[in-house]
Amino acid sequence: MLIVNGVIHTMESGTIPGGFVRTEGGHIVQVGPMAALDGGADPAGGLIDAQGGHVLPGFIDAHCHLGLYGCGDPEDDLNDCAGPSTPQLQALDGVNPLHSYFEEARRAGVTCVHTCPGSANPIAGQSVLLKTAGTVIDRMAVRAPAAMKFALGENPKRIHGGKGHASRMAAAALIREQLTRALSYELNCVQADGRGGEPDLDPQLDALRPVVTGRLPAHFHAHRADDIATAVRLSREFGLDCVIVHGTEGRLLADFLAEERVPVIVGPFLTDRSKPELANLAMENTALLAQAGVPVAICTDHPETPIALLPFCAAMAARAGLDEEEALAAITINAACILGVGDRLGSLSPGKDADIVVMDGHPFHWRTQATHVLIDGQEVI
């Protein structure tokens, strides 16, 4: 496939006012100005004339519940509240790729999503990073598991308050206890392997092994500043690869988060203050975090904000002070890097997956629409 005559937002090598992108075998093979284009379109691959529109890497929603929740389905699979610790659960087993919102995501240029279990449990389970086109979830998955979901604050208190976990202290203590047990379990596994045997399988602790050994990131649902600080504290105690999700009051700790090198996936902020933790919601949050040097991505938390509004979320963050290019990065290359797939996604660079969106105007203009969307080099819109 050859895309020509576009404003090319490479997201790593600057913007090309009039350029082209060539793909082959599901990957990007060449990017450059029109003057550097040699030959023509591959007849088998096809040609897209952007006609002066904007060409970008496919948008990435860094935290949502797409396919698990939000279609009014009685079978929605967001949370399993049987107990407060469910690390063995895998979002991969619950996502329905035929939910109508997948098509809405594609039409908005969202080509990859990080779908996570809900925040009812202090330890909620394993997330999945997946493309938004396909019918078999295994073939759509980019990384499974992608992270372990933890939750602090009001949600665990509300859901498990009648089961002896009615405080923030209790949620943190439960997480600390399970991580301590997981470290012991990891040691037992290593020792058993050295003896040529196997320990008794504990599915919960086995799921936490890659978290305590730093091989699987820990994503902490945290809105309030004190919950954010608790997430960082727990992560430093156990050497976790920590990412803050939501970070509604993150701007109050911006310097601290920058010093600790903790990324924040910000959102939703196109929503009302429907619960106490959102009392200090401010559109400027993303800009203030970025200005302090905190790596930021933007999410919809779909269905809290519908997934099709991801580009609009980035536009509103720019309106509230975030540098425009940084706002685009927050739904492309920054999101990819925070999710650990910056080598595959998030920019128009040779060798990366051919996930590309062609738009008929600037992506932040309210009337702009996606005219073509490619996932792995195949047109899906």
Side-chain angles (χ1 to χ4, degrees):
M1 179 69 73
L2 180 63
I3 304 169
V4 298
N5 299 321
V7 179
I8 312 297
H9 298 262
T10 70
M11 301 315 303
E12 283 189 306
S13 306
T15 299
I16 304 169
F20 72 94
V21 179
R22 191 193 297 274
T23 75
E24 185 176 305
H27 294 87
I28 297 168
V29 295
Q30 192 179 8
V31 181
M34 289 300 296
L37 178 62
D38 53 0
D42 177 0
L47 174 69
I48 295 173
D49 188 345
Q51 300 180 354
H54 292 247
V55 183
L56 305 101
F59 302 136
I60 302 169
D61 195 330
H63 176 89
C64 68
H65 307 292
L66 186 67
L68 288 175
Y69 181 69
C71 282
D73 235 340
E75 291 84 22
D76 279 345
D77 274 334
L78 185 62
N79 289 298
D80 188 310
C81 302
S85 178
T86 54
Q88 75 280 16
L89 300 184
Q90 300 183 45
L92 184 73
D93 296 327
V95 171
N96 176 5
L98 299 180
H99 268 177
S100 60
Y101 278 114
F102 275 91
E103 182 178 357
E104 292 192 16
R106 293 192 296 270
R107 291 192 176 280
V110 181
T111 59
C112 190
V113 295
H114 183 218
T115 289
C116 307
S119 52
N121 302 338
I123 306 179
Q126 303 164 47
S127 62
V128 59
L129 183 67
L130 68 153
K131 302 291 181 80
T132 55
T135 57
V136 179
I137 197 70
D138 308 72
R139 297 178 180 178
M140 299 162 65
V142 176
R143 179 169 291 182
M148 183 66 70
K149 171 73 176 294
F150 296 83
L152 298 169
E154 296 300 323
N155 284 9
K157 285 177 57 179
R158 176 171 52 84
I159 301 299
H160 296 285
K163 305 173 186 177
H165 300 279
S167 70
R168 282 176 163 77
M169 294 180 292
L174 181 140
I175 292 170
R176 188 176 282 113
E177 176 188 350
Q178 289 297 90
L179 293 176
T180 300
R181 293 181 63 212
L183 283 171
S184 296
Y185 184 80
E186 166 66 14
L187 180 60
N188 290 338
C189 289
V190 171
Q191 292 174 340
D193 185 60
R195 295 192 301 266
E198 294 183 1
D200 292 335
L201 177 65
D202 185 316
Q204 290 200 14
L205 299 182
D206 198 61
L208 288 170
R209 285 182 66 190
V211 180
V212 295
T213 54
R215 293 178 286 121
L216 186 67
H219 282 215
F220 279 86
H221 164 110
H223 285 279
R224 270 179 23 184
D226 55 333
D227 292 325
I228 295 169
T230 296
V232 176
R233 183 184 319 115
L234 287 167
S235 298
R236 295 300 172 253
E237 285 180 30
F238 292 94
L240 309 183
D241 181 6
C242 175
V243 176
I244 299 298
V245 178
H246 307 311
T248 300
E249 294 185 357
R251 66 192 182 281
L252 304 180
L253 301 176
D255 291 340
F256 167 71
L257 291 168
E259 290 170 8
E260 293 290 333
R261 300 180 183 274
V262 174
V264 180
I265 297 172
V266 184
F269 47 79
L270 295 186
T271 183
D272 63 3
R273 296 177 176 86
S274 56
K275 56 184 179 180
E277 290 173 305
L278 297 178
N280 287 327
L281 186 150
M283 199 74 74
E284 298 80 13
N285 190 42
T286 315
L288 293 173
L289 285 165
Q291 289 162 14
V294 178
V296 294
I298 290 172
C299 74
T300 63
D301 197 27
H302 175 91
E304 295 301 322
T305 299
I307 192 142
L309 296 181
L310 179 63
F312 189 69
C313 293
M316 291 300 97
R319 180 184 178 187
L322 185 63
D323 175 81
E324 192 171 274
E325 197 69 10
E326 189 71 14
L328 283 174
I331 57 173
T332 55
I333 188 61
N334 283 8
C337 289
I338 289 171
L339 295 171
V341 290
D343 59 333
R344 282 188 59 180
L345 305 174
S347 69
L348 299 179
S349 304
K352 291 198 177 184
D353 293 5
D355 295 354
I356 303 170
V357 56
V358 180
M359 312 194 87
D360 60 9
H362 192 281
F364 289 166
H365 192 281
W366 69 274
R367 294 191 67 175
T368 293
Q369 296 190 41
T371 58
H372 300 82
V373 177
L374 281 66
I375 295 180
D376 295 325
Q378 299 296 314
E379 283 196 78
V380 295
I381 295 297

